[in-house]
Amino acid sequence: MFVPPFYREPSGSWMVDLIRNNPLALLVHNGSPLAGPFATHLPVIPDPDANREWAPDLAGATLLGHMNRSNPHWAAIESGAVGLLTFTGPHGYVSPTVYGKTPAAPTWNFTSVHVRGTIQKIDSPGPSEDTLEVVKSTVRAFETDFGDDWDMTESISYFRQILPEVGAFRFTVSGADGMFKLSQEQAPEIRDRVYRSFSERDCARHRAAASLMASLP
């Protein structure tokens, strides 16, 4: 991902927060010359058993994900394959009317993190307790951050029933790029206009983008 210098994240913590708050990732990896590249949307979490220290470029971090084994993407993945995980954060359209000047051009403010690394299938060719642990860890993470702390205890037997259809993997990060395009190239008074426009919108993602704009150094 090409990231102009003024759109780079202020620190690696911005990338970590975006990954945690926007865990529906797009996993991309090269297929055969005939099949072409594969891309699958799936939930991804930081490995709860890994080192909690994140490098500035996230190198060495491990993430966990899972997908349907019936997905041709799963069959195409070989352990050790290089992949890319993309995460999209708050974003929104910026109309030239916000700038209060002419000439002007519209744009789209957005936030995104691209994570490069290697994919390691867990318990291939068939799922086991390690696959179940990935599912349980994902539930715990999402219930804590987005749910109501649902107790999964009485559903573990159901998890085991559907486990044969689940393919879990570990993603070891080699590096990452974060793009936080939030009107940094504009004059302070223009950035303030965009901030106020976003913060006053009913749309949650516009307000979330405004919150990030307010946090810029």
Side-chain angles (χ1 to χ4, degrees):
M1 176 168 64
F2 170 66
V3 184
F6 39 82
Y7 292 149
R8 288 203 170 274
E9 73 286 346
S11 71
S13 65
W14 281 55
M15 293 196 290
V16 175
D17 288 344
L18 189 145
I19 289 171
R20 291 185 181 277
N21 294 329
N22 304 273
L24 183 63
L26 181 67
L27 173 64
V28 182
H29 109 281
N30 289 332
S32 67
L34 181 62
F38 287 89
T40 298
H41 291 277
L42 42 73
V44 174
I45 63 168
D47 185 346
D49 295 326
N51 190 332
R52 298 302 178 92
E53 294 295 324
W54 296 74
D57 67 348
L58 311 191
T62 56
L63 306 172
L64 300 177
H66 64 277
M67 71 170 72
N68 192 316
R69 283 177 176 267
S70 298
N71 187 338
H73 192 170
W74 179 255
I77 295 174
E78 295 183 2
S79 288
V82 175
L84 176 73
L85 284 168
T86 71
F87 299 83
T88 301
H91 59 93
Y93 175 67
V94 182
S95 169
T97 58
V98 175
Y99 296 151
K101 67 175 185 177
T102 301
T107 191
W108 201 286
N109 277 1
F110 69 93
T111 57
S112 180
V113 172
H114 286 197
V115 179
R116 304 175 301 281
T118 55
I119 309 167
Q120 187 71 35
K121 284 184 171 181
I122 294 175
D123 293 330
S124 182
S128 71
E129 289 300 304
D130 288 338
T131 303
L132 179 60
E133 283 304 313
V134 171
V135 174
K136 290 164 62 177
S137 294
T138 303
V139 171
R140 281 192 290 267
F142 292 168
E143 278 298 318
T144 298
D145 293 340
F146 311 111
D148 299 308
D149 287 328
W150 171 66
D151 185 351
M152 73 181 92
T153 304
E154 295 182 359
S155 295
I156 298 300
S157 59
Y158 174 66
F159 287 4
R160 292 185 188 282
Q161 292 178 32
I162 63 177
L163 205 61
E165 300 301 319
V166 178
F169 64 89
R170 180 174 290 104
F171 191 97
T172 303
V173 180
S174 59
D177 293 301
M179 184 157 176
F180 291 79
K181 181 180 178 295
L182 299 168
S183 300
Q184 296 97 315
E185 80 285 5
Q186 297 289 346
E189 62 271 16
I190 300 299
R191 289 200 302 270
D192 185 62
R193 284 174 177 268
V194 176
Y195 164 76
R196 284 188 281 110
S197 172
F198 275 24
S199 62
E200 293 168 0
R201 298 283 291 272
D202 291 333
C203 177
R205 58 181 168 79
H206 282 84
R207 295 197 303 272
S211 179
L212 286 175
M213 291 183 70
S215 300
L216 286 170

mmCIF file of all heavy atoms in Angstrom, residues 121-155:
data_model
loop_
_atom_site.group_PDB
_atom_site.id
_atom_site.type_symbol
_atom_site.label_atom_id
_atom_site.label_comp_id
_atom_site.label_asym_id
_atom_site.label_seq_id
_atom_site.Cartn_x
_atom_site.Cartn_y
_atom_site.Cartn_z
ATOM 1 N N LYS A 121 -1.581 -23.048 8.586
ATOM 2 C CA LYS A 121 -2.824 -23.745 8.911
ATOM 3 C C LYS A 121 -2.687 -24.457 10.255
ATOM 4 O O LYS A 121 -1.644 -25.005 10.581
ATOM 5 C CB LYS A 121 -3.157 -24.765 7.817
ATOM 6 C CG LYS A 121 -3.711 -24.162 6.539
ATOM 7 C CD LYS A 121 -4.097 -25.246 5.553
ATOM 8 C CE LYS A 121 -4.852 -24.687 4.359
ATOM 9 N NZ LYS A 121 -5.246 -25.742 3.402
ATOM 10 N N ILE A 122 -3.769 -24.451 11.004
ATOM 11 C CA ILE A 122 -3.796 -25.119 12.305
ATOM 12 C C ILE A 122 -4.513 -26.449 12.154
ATOM 13 O O ILE A 122 -5.656 -26.505 11.709
ATOM 14 C CB ILE A 122 -4.507 -24.239 13.351
ATOM 15 C CG1 ILE A 122 -3.683 -22.964 13.593
ATOM 16 C CG2 ILE A 122 -4.719 -24.999 14.657
ATOM 17 C CD1 ILE A 122 -4.359 -21.975 14.512
ATOM 18 N N ASP A 123 -3.805 -27.536 12.507
ATOM 19 C CA ASP A 123 -4.396 -28.874 12.470
ATOM 20 C C ASP A 123 -4.915 -29.256 11.096
ATOM 21 O O ASP A 123 -6.000 -29.801 10.944
ATOM 22 C CB ASP A 123 -5.530 -29.004 13.498
ATOM 23 C CG ASP A 123 -5.015 -28.926 14.918
ATOM 24 O OD1 ASP A 123 -3.872 -29.340 15.136
ATOM 25 O OD2 ASP A 123 -5.744 -28.456 15.785
ATOM 26 N N SER A 124 -4.153 -28.931 10.065
ATOM 27 C CA SER A 124 -4.513 -29.402 8.729
ATOM 28 C C SER A 124 -4.037 -30.845 8.589
ATOM 29 O O SER A 124 -2.968 -31.204 9.078
ATOM 30 C CB SER A 124 -3.805 -28.530 7.680
ATOM 31 O OG SER A 124 -4.160 -28.909 6.385
ATOM 32 N N PRO A 125 -4.838 -31.755 7.982
ATOM 33 C CA PRO A 125 -5.997 -31.469 7.153
ATOM 34 C C PRO A 125 -7.326 -31.394 7.893
ATOM 35 O O PRO A 125 -8.332 -31.019 7.307
ATOM 36 C CB PRO A 125 -6.016 -32.657 6.194
ATOM 37 C CG PRO A 125 -5.472 -33.776 6.998
ATOM 38 C CD PRO A 125 -4.401 -33.160 7.866
ATOM 39 N N GLY A 126 -7.355 -31.773 9.182
ATOM 40 C CA GLY A 126 -8.633 -31.770 9.882
ATOM 41 C C GLY A 126 -8.561 -30.976 11.168
ATOM 42 O O GLY A 126 -7.484 -30.815 11.753
ATOM 43 N N PRO A 127 -9.706 -30.456 11.642
ATOM 44 C CA PRO A 127 -9.726 -29.642 12.853
ATOM 45 C C PRO A 127 -9.581 -30.490 14.115
ATOM 46 O O PRO A 127 -9.865 -31.682 14.118
ATOM 47 C CB PRO A 127 -11.098 -28.977 12.797
ATOM 48 C CG PRO A 127 -11.950 -29.954 12.057
ATOM 49 C CD PRO A 127 -11.034 -30.582 11.033
ATOM 50 N N SER A 128 -9.123 -29.861 15.201
ATOM 51 C CA SER A 128 -8.987 -30.549 16.482
ATOM 52 C C SER A 128 -9.232 -29.529 17.594
ATOM 53 O O SER A 128 -9.822 -28.474 17.368
ATOM 54 C CB SER A 128 -7.592 -31.169 16.612
ATOM 55 O OG SER A 128 -6.627 -30.159 16.788
ATOM 56 N N GLU A 129 -8.747 -29.849 18.793
ATOM 57 C CA GLU A 129 -8.945 -28.949 19.920
ATOM 58 C C GLU A 129 -8.296 -27.588 19.680
ATOM 59 O O GLU A 129 -8.783 -26.577 20.170
ATOM 60 C CB GLU A 129 -8.382 -29.583 21.194
ATOM 61 C CG GLU A 129 -9.191 -30.757 21.712
ATOM 62 C CD GLU A 129 -10.626 -30.357 22.040
ATOM 63 O OE1 GLU A 129 -10.816 -29.411 22.842
ATOM 64 O OE2 GLU A 129 -11.556 -30.977 21.497
ATOM 65 N N ASP A 130 -7.199 -27.553 18.928
ATOM 66 C CA ASP A 130 -6.561 -26.266 18.643
ATOM 67 C C ASP A 130 -7.462 -25.383 17.791
ATOM 68 O O ASP A 130 -7.515 -24.161 17.969
ATOM 69 C CB ASP A 130 -5.221 -26.475 17.934
ATOM 70 C CG ASP A 130 -4.155 -27.027 18.869
ATOM 71 O OD1 ASP A 130 -4.308 -26.862 20.092
ATOM 72 O OD2 ASP A 130 -3.183 -27.612 18.380
ATOM 73 N N THR A 131 -8.164 -25.982 16.835
ATOM 74 C CA THR A 131 -9.125 -25.226 16.033
ATOM 75 C C THR A 131 -10.241 -24.693 16.920
ATOM 76 O O THR A 131 -10.661 -23.538 16.789
ATOM 77 C CB THR A 131 -9.715 -26.111 14.923
ATOM 78 O OG1 THR A 131 -8.666 -26.619 14.112
ATOM 79 C CG2 THR A 131 -10.685 -25.324 14.059
ATOM 80 N N LEU A 132 -10.730 -25.544 17.826
ATOM 81 C CA LEU A 132 -11.779 -25.114 18.748
ATOM 82 C C LEU A 132 -11.296 -23.950 19.606
ATOM 83 O O LEU A 132 -12.065 -23.015 19.874
ATOM 84 C CB LEU A 132 -12.208 -26.280 19.635
ATOM 85 C CG LEU A 132 -13.293 -25.987 20.677
ATOM 86 C CD1 LEU A 132 -14.572 -25.512 20.008
ATOM 87 C CD2 LEU A 132 -13.569 -27.226 21.530
ATOM 88 N N GLU A 133 -10.040 -23.974 20.021
ATOM 89 C CA GLU A 133 -9.507 -22.895 20.841
ATOM 90 C C GLU A 133 -9.491 -21.570 20.077
ATOM 91 O O GLU A 133 -9.717 -20.509 20.666
ATOM 92 C CB GLU A 133 -8.104 -23.231 21.346
ATOM 93 C CG GLU A 133 -8.086 -24.215 22.506
ATOM 94 C CD GLU A 133 -8.925 -23.731 23.680
ATOM 95 O OE1 GLU A 133 -8.794 -22.543 24.074
ATOM 96 O OE2 GLU A 133 -9.727 -24.518 24.206
ATOM 97 N N VAL A 134 -9.221 -21.627 18.773
ATOM 98 C CA VAL A 134 -9.263 -20.402 17.965
ATOM 99 C C VAL A 134 -10.679 -19.842 17.949
ATOM 100 O O VAL A 134 -10.891 -18.628 18.110
ATOM 101 C CB VAL A 134 -8.773 -20.668 16.524
ATOM 102 C CG1 VAL A 134 -9.026 -19.450 15.633
ATOM 103 C CG2 VAL A 134 -7.292 -21.018 16.516
ATOM 104 N N VAL A 135 -11.668 -20.714 17.769
ATOM 105 C CA VAL A 135 -13.066 -20.277 17.758
ATOM 106 C C VAL A 135 -13.443 -19.676 19.112
ATOM 107 O O VAL A 135 -14.046 -18.596 19.183
ATOM 108 C CB VAL A 135 -13.999 -21.448 17.409
ATOM 109 C CG1 VAL A 135 -15.467 -21.032 17.549
ATOM 110 C CG2 VAL A 135 -13.727 -21.952 15.992
ATOM 111 N N LYS A 136 -13.073 -20.351 20.193
ATOM 112 C CA LYS A 136 -13.407 -19.862 21.530
ATOM 113 C C LYS A 136 -12.711 -18.537 21.828
ATOM 114 O O LYS A 136 -13.311 -17.628 22.409
ATOM 115 C CB LYS A 136 -13.027 -20.918 22.570
ATOM 116 C CG LYS A 136 -13.924 -22.152 22.528
ATOM 117 C CD LYS A 136 -13.322 -23.340 23.263
ATOM 118 C CE LYS A 136 -13.116 -23.111 24.716
ATOM 119 N NZ LYS A 136 -12.589 -24.324 25.409
ATOM 120 N N SER A 137 -11.454 -18.407 21.412
ATOM 121 C CA SER A 137 -10.725 -17.156 21.630
ATOM 122 C C SER A 137 -11.378 -16.019 20.863
ATOM 123 O O SER A 137 -11.444 -14.879 21.355
ATOM 124 C CB SER A 137 -9.263 -17.305 21.198
ATOM 125 O OG SER A 137 -8.574 -18.218 22.026
ATOM 126 N N THR A 138 -11.862 -16.320 19.650
ATOM 127 C CA THR A 138 -12.536 -15.302 18.850
ATOM 128 C C THR A 138 -13.827 -14.850 19.518
ATOM 129 O O THR A 138 -14.124 -13.649 19.587
ATOM 130 C CB THR A 138 -12.830 -15.836 17.434
ATOM 131 O OG1 THR A 138 -11.604 -16.256 16.820
ATOM 132 C CG2 THR A 138 -13.490 -14.779 16.572
ATOM 133 N N VAL A 139 -14.596 -15.805 20.032
ATOM 134 C CA VAL A 139 -15.835 -15.469 20.740
ATOM 135 C C VAL A 139 -15.537 -14.606 21.960
ATOM 136 O O VAL A 139 -16.196 -13.575 22.185
ATOM 137 C CB VAL A 139 -16.587 -16.747 21.161
ATOM 138 C CG1 VAL A 139 -17.758 -16.401 22.075
ATOM 139 C CG2 VAL A 139 -17.079 -17.514 19.944
ATOM 140 N N ARG A 140 -14.539 -15.008 22.748
ATOM 141 C CA ARG A 140 -14.197 -14.235 23.949
ATOM 142 C C ARG A 140 -13.800 -12.806 23.595
ATOM 143 O O ARG A 140 -14.239 -11.848 24.247
ATOM 144 C CB ARG A 140 -13.062 -14.930 24.720
ATOM 145 C CG ARG A 140 -13.504 -16.107 25.574
ATOM 146 C CD ARG A 140 -12.405 -16.558 26.510
ATOM 147 N NE ARG A 140 -11.316 -17.196 25.787
ATOM 148 C CZ ARG A 140 -11.224 -18.502 25.583
ATOM 149 N NH1 ARG A 140 -12.163 -19.316 26.056
ATOM 150 N NH2 ARG A 140 -10.190 -19.009 24.937
ATOM 151 N N ALA A 141 -12.976 -12.663 22.562
ATOM 152 C CA ALA A 141 -12.520 -11.324 22.169
ATOM 153 C C ALA A 141 -13.683 -10.451 21.715
ATOM 154 O O ALA A 141 -13.795 -9.282 22.128
ATOM 155 C CB ALA A 141 -11.484 -11.439 21.054
ATOM 156 N N PHE A 142 -14.558 -11.008 20.897
ATOM 157 C CA PHE A 142 -15.648 -10.211 20.343
ATOM 158 C C PHE A 142 -16.749 -9.945 21.364
ATOM 159 O O PHE A 142 -17.375 -8.875 21.335
ATOM 160 C CB PHE A 142 -16.223 -10.880 19.099
ATOM 161 C CG PHE A 142 -15.271 -10.889 17.927
ATOM 162 C CD1 PHE A 142 -15.526 -11.670 16.816
ATOM 163 C CD2 PHE A 142 -14.119 -10.127 17.940
ATOM 164 C CE1 PHE A 142 -14.661 -11.683 15.729
ATOM 165 C CE2 PHE A 142 -13.237 -10.123 16.869
ATOM 166 C CZ PHE A 142 -13.513 -10.901 15.760
ATOM 167 N N GLU A 143 -17.019 -10.893 22.247
ATOM 168 C CA GLU A 143 -18.017 -10.641 23.288
ATOM 169 C C GLU A 143 -17.531 -9.565 24.248
ATOM 170 O O GLU A 143 -18.313 -8.739 24.715
ATOM 171 C CB GLU A 143 -18.334 -11.939 24.042
ATOM 172 C CG GLU A 143 -19.322 -12.836 23.344
ATOM 173 C CD GLU A 143 -20.689 -12.195 23.171
ATOM 174 O OE1 GLU A 143 -21.165 -11.536 24.120
ATOM 175 O OE2 GLU A 143 -21.277 -12.343 22.084
ATOM 176 N N THR A 144 -16.220 -9.558 24.529
ATOM 177 C CA THR A 144 -15.667 -8.540 25.420
ATOM 178 C C THR A 144 -15.724 -7.166 24.790
ATOM 179 O O THR A 144 -16.118 -6.178 25.430
ATOM 180 C CB THR A 144 -14.212 -8.883 25.777
ATOM 181 O OG1 THR A 144 -14.167 -10.134 26.474
ATOM 182 C CG2 THR A 144 -13.602 -7.802 26.667
ATOM 183 N N ASP A 145 -15.363 -7.078 23.505
ATOM 184 C CA ASP A 145 -15.260 -5.774 22.854
ATOM 185 C C ASP A 145 -16.562 -5.284 22.226
ATOM 186 O O ASP A 145 -16.805 -4.074 22.170
ATOM 187 C CB ASP A 145 -14.181 -5.817 21.766
ATOM 188 C CG ASP A 145 -12.785 -6.002 22.334
ATOM 189 O OD1 ASP A 145 -12.593 -5.715 23.527
ATOM 190 O OD2 ASP A 145 -11.891 -6.438 21.583
ATOM 191 N N PHE A 146 -17.395 -6.214 21.756
ATOM 192 C CA PHE A 146 -18.574 -5.801 20.986
ATOM 193 C C PHE A 146 -19.894 -6.394 21.474
ATOM 194 O O PHE A 146 -20.960 -5.952 21.045
ATOM 195 C CB PHE A 146 -18.405 -6.191 19.508
ATOM 196 C CG PHE A 146 -17.088 -5.773 18.908
ATOM 197 C CD1 PHE A 146 -16.136 -6.714 18.569
ATOM 198 C CD2 PHE A 146 -16.799 -4.437 18.705
ATOM 199 C CE1 PHE A 146 -14.916 -6.340 18.021
ATOM 200 C CE2 PHE A 146 -15.590 -4.042 18.151
ATOM 201 C CZ PHE A 146 -14.642 -4.993 17.811
ATOM 202 N N GLY A 147 -19.829 -7.414 22.316
ATOM 203 C CA GLY A 147 -21.044 -8.112 22.730
ATOM 204 C C GLY A 147 -21.455 -7.790 24.152
ATOM 205 O O GLY A 147 -21.190 -6.700 24.677
ATOM 206 N N ASP A 148 -22.082 -8.782 24.797
ATOM 207 C CA ASP A 148 -22.584 -8.614 26.158
ATOM 208 C C ASP A 148 -22.007 -9.662 27.095
ATOM 209 O O ASP A 148 -22.660 -10.105 28.039
ATOM 210 C CB ASP A 148 -24.117 -8.711 26.172
ATOM 211 C CG ASP A 148 -24.773 -7.630 25.334
ATOM 212 O OD1 ASP A 148 -24.441 -6.446 25.552
ATOM 213 O OD2 ASP A 148 -25.579 -7.956 24.449
ATOM 214 N N ASP A 149 -20.728 -10.069 26.809
ATOM 215 C CA ASP A 149 -20.058 -11.097 27.619
ATOM 216 C C ASP A 149 -20.893 -12.376 27.699
ATOM 217 O O ASP A 149 -21.067 -12.979 28.761
ATOM 218 C CB ASP A 149 -19.776 -10.569 29.037
ATOM 219 C CG ASP A 149 -18.635 -9.564 29.037
ATOM 220 O OD1 ASP A 149 -17.728 -9.700 28.202
ATOM 221 O OD2 ASP A 149 -18.655 -8.636 29.874
ATOM 222 N N TRP A 150 -21.416 -12.800 26.547
ATOM 223 C CA TRP A 150 -22.187 -14.035 26.455
ATOM 224 C C TRP A 150 -21.360 -15.222 26.932
ATOM 225 O O TRP A 150 -20.183 -15.359 26.597
ATOM 226 C CB TRP A 150 -22.627 -14.241 25.004
ATOM 227 C CG TRP A 150 -23.251 -15.580 24.708
ATOM 228 C CD1 TRP A 150 -24.431 -16.066 25.182
ATOM 229 C CD2 TRP A 150 -22.718 -16.588 23.836
ATOM 230 N NE1 TRP A 150 -24.675 -17.309 24.666
ATOM 231 C CE2 TRP A 150 -23.640 -17.658 23.830
ATOM 232 C CE3 TRP A 150 -21.565 -16.688 23.059
ATOM 233 C CZ2 TRP A 150 -23.443 -18.827 23.096
ATOM 234 C CZ3 TRP A 150 -21.350 -17.838 22.309
ATOM 235 C CH2 TRP A 150 -22.286 -18.884 22.341
ATOM 236 N N ASP A 151 -21.970 -16.080 27.738
ATOM 237 C CA ASP A 151 -21.313 -17.284 28.246
ATOM 238 C C ASP A 151 -21.514 -18.410 27.234
ATOM 239 O O ASP A 151 -22.632 -18.866 27.011
ATOM 240 C CB ASP A 151 -21.918 -17.675 29.602
ATOM 241 C CG ASP A 151 -21.196 -18.860 30.243
ATOM 242 O OD1 ASP A 151 -20.346 -19.481 29.572
ATOM 243 O OD2 ASP A 151 -21.501 -19.166 31.404
ATOM 244 N N MET A 152 -20.418 -18.856 26.612
ATOM 245 C CA MET A 152 -20.501 -19.860 25.556
ATOM 246 C C MET A 152 -20.533 -21.296 26.078
ATOM 247 O O MET A 152 -20.638 -22.240 25.289
ATOM 248 C CB MET A 152 -19.306 -19.705 24.610
ATOM 249 C CG MET A 152 -17.979 -20.174 25.173
ATOM 250 S SD MET A 152 -16.596 -19.952 24.019
ATOM 251 C CE MET A 152 -16.041 -18.326 24.515
ATOM 252 N N THR A 153 -20.473 -21.484 27.386
ATOM 253 C CA THR A 153 -20.313 -22.820 27.972
ATOM 254 C C THR A 153 -21.317 -23.828 27.425
ATOM 255 O O THR A 153 -20.954 -24.945 27.026
ATOM 256 C CB THR A 153 -20.446 -22.752 29.506
ATOM 257 O OG1 THR A 153 -19.500 -21.815 30.018
ATOM 258 C CG2 THR A 153 -20.206 -24.122 30.125
ATOM 259 N N GLU A 154 -22.589 -23.441 27.385
ATOM 260 C CA GLU A 154 -23.623 -24.384 26.963
ATOM 261 C C GLU A 154 -23.655 -24.588 25.449
ATOM 262 O O GLU A 154 -24.436 -25.413 24.957
ATOM 263 C CB GLU A 154 -24.997 -23.907 27.452
ATOM 264 C CG GLU A 154 -25.123 -23.898 28.971
ATOM 265 C CD GLU A 154 -26.506 -23.478 29.430
ATOM 266 O OE1 GLU A 154 -27.350 -23.172 28.556
ATOM 267 O OE2 GLU A 154 -26.739 -23.447 30.651
ATOM 268 N N SER A 155 -22.821 -23.877 24.719
ATOM 269 C CA SER A 155 -22.794 -24.020 23.262
ATOM 270 C C SER A 155 -21.543 -24.721 22.746
ATOM 271 O O SER A 155 -21.386 -24.896 21.529
ATOM 272 C CB SER A 155 -22.898 -22.637 22.604
ATOM 273 O OG SER A 155 -24.151 -22.035 22.875
#
